[in-house]
């Protein structure tokens, strides 16, 4: 059974031109930045073995000289 990672909390942006100078606005923007920097959780649909094989296949194609010159 795959463990489903916890979804990040979606923070709505309550900051506008009328309240952007309020000190709490900076805290809200920093929280949003932290969520964005953390990124999306990894997909549970891709198995590690499959992903590694797919990456290897793509590298073989990209590094093959014929791949770059096929019209």
């Amino acid at each position: 059974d795959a463990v489903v990672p916890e979804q990040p909390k979606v923070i709505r942006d309550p900051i506008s031109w009328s309240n952007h100078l309020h000190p709490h606005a900076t805290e809200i923007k920093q929280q949003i930045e932290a969520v964005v920097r953390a990124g999306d959780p990894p997909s549970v649909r891709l198995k590690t073995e499959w992903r590694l094989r797919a990456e290897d296949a793509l590298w073989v194609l990209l590094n093959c000289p014929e791949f770059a010159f096929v019209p």
Side-chain angles (χ1 to χ4, degrees):
D1 292 311
V3 176
V4 178
E6 182 180 324
Q7 295 295 325
K9 180 181 175 186
V10 176
I11 301 173
R12 303 236 182 241
D13 194 1
I15 309 303
S16 65
W17 283 103
S18 63
N19 65 357
H20 75 281
L21 294 177
H22 193 276
H24 188 60
T26 303
E27 296 170 7
I28 292 172
K29 284 296 187 180
Q30 289 173 340
Q31 290 172 354
I32 293 172
E33 179 187 9
V35 169
V36 170
R37 284 188 184 270
D40 294 333
S43 174
V44 295
R45 294 180 178 177
L46 295 178
K47 303 282 185 217
T48 303
E49 300 83 22
W50 184 90
R51 183 184 55 79
L52 291 173
R53 287 194 306 267
E55 288 175 359
D56 289 342
L58 285 174
W59 273 113
V60 167
L61 283 175
L62 291 174
N63 290 321
C64 180
E66 292 86 4
F67 184 75
F69 296 108
V70 173

